Amino acid sequence: MNEDDDAEGADAVLERLSLDRRTVEVAEETLRVQKRQVWIQAGAAVLPMMALIGTIAYGSWALQRQADEQFRLEIAKAIIQAPNPNNAVGRAAFYAKVFPGRMPPNLASKVSVDEYSSDVDSRLDFLKTVADRGLTPEETARLWTVLFSDEFARGPEVAAFFEKRAPSSGERARGH
């Protein structure tokens, strides 16, 4: 019986070893599952944090962009409210120099003042000044055509206007 006992003992040892091996395999699988769960839980905690950081960063960027656009809009309003094109170009140049990073550097040079300006204001100022000096309409008309040489200044409408305003010889003699 010695051999049978040895065979039964060897089988029992083998069975126990097999059972122990299976127990170790189950423990290893349990450990792998637990590691996977830890990574999943860590990801579940990190992903919302990353989404929160992304949301805050985007909100900050959008707010900064909106502030920049609002600033540029206010500058544009100030430039547009200039009384004439020369002042508008001057304001644009001023703001471009004062705020170099926030305004296009060639803002003022993009516009040709001559292209958009009109002599009407300066000509009206001229007429007011001449009228204050006591010149007659004929003298004013002659001075006008000498100083302003464009089509409008020499046009028939301007000459007709000055002729209508000129006092007759009888009125000049009486001092009117």
Side-chain angles (χ1 to χ4, degrees):
M1 281 228 240
N2 218 357
E3 271 185 35
D4 284 338
D5 286 340
D6 284 344
E8 279 181 25
D11 286 340
V13 169
L14 285 176
E15 198 173 310
R16 203 172 333 137
L17 284 175
S18 175
L19 187 60
D20 287 344
R21 185 178 307 133
R22 184 75 181 124
T23 304
V24 169
E25 288 174 359
V26 168
E28 286 176 346
E29 184 63 29
T30 303
L31 186 59
R32 271 191 236 115
V33 168
Q34 287 175 345
K35 281 182 181 180
R36 212 173 301 136
Q37 285 177 342
V38 167
W39 278 107
I40 290 171
Q41 288 173 349
V46 169
L47 285 177
M49 288 295 250
M50 289 176 58
L52 177 66
I53 290 169
T55 302
I56 291 170
Y58 175 76
S60 175
W61 173 81
L63 188 62
Q64 180 63 39
R65 183 177 167 115
Q66 182 181 13
D68 285 343
E69 294 300 322
Q70 187 68 31
F71 176 78
R72 287 188 181 124
L73 179 64
E74 291 300 319
I75 295 295
K77 285 180 186 177
I79 292 170
I80 289 172
Q81 291 174 352
N84 60 51
N86 285 330
N87 282 352
V89 169
R91 286 181 183 188
F94 172 77
Y95 289 128
K97 286 181 183 175
V98 172
F99 304 109
R102 299 185 80 181
M103 302 301 296
N106 57 353
L107 178 67
S109 64
K110 287 183 178 179
V111 178
S112 169
V113 176
D114 298 334
E115 194 176 324
Y116 299 103
S117 65
S118 166
D119 291 340
V120 173
D121 289 338
S122 59
R123 290 180 186 196
L124 288 175
D125 288 341
F126 167 75
L127 284 176
K128 288 175 187 173
T129 303
V130 169
D132 291 343
R133 301 284 185 249
L135 293 177
T136 66
E138 290 109 357
E139 293 169 328
T140 304
R142 270 186 261 133
L143 187 56
W144 176 277
T145 55
V146 167
L147 292 176
F148 302 117
S149 61
D150 61 358
E151 259 182 59
F152 174 75
R154 298 193 184 276
E157 298 87 8
V158 174
F161 172 79
F162 282 124
E163 285 175 12
K164 287 180 187 175
R165 301 292 184 258
S168 64
S169 3
E171 289 176 345
R172 265 187 256 136
R174 286 186 292 223
H176 285 81

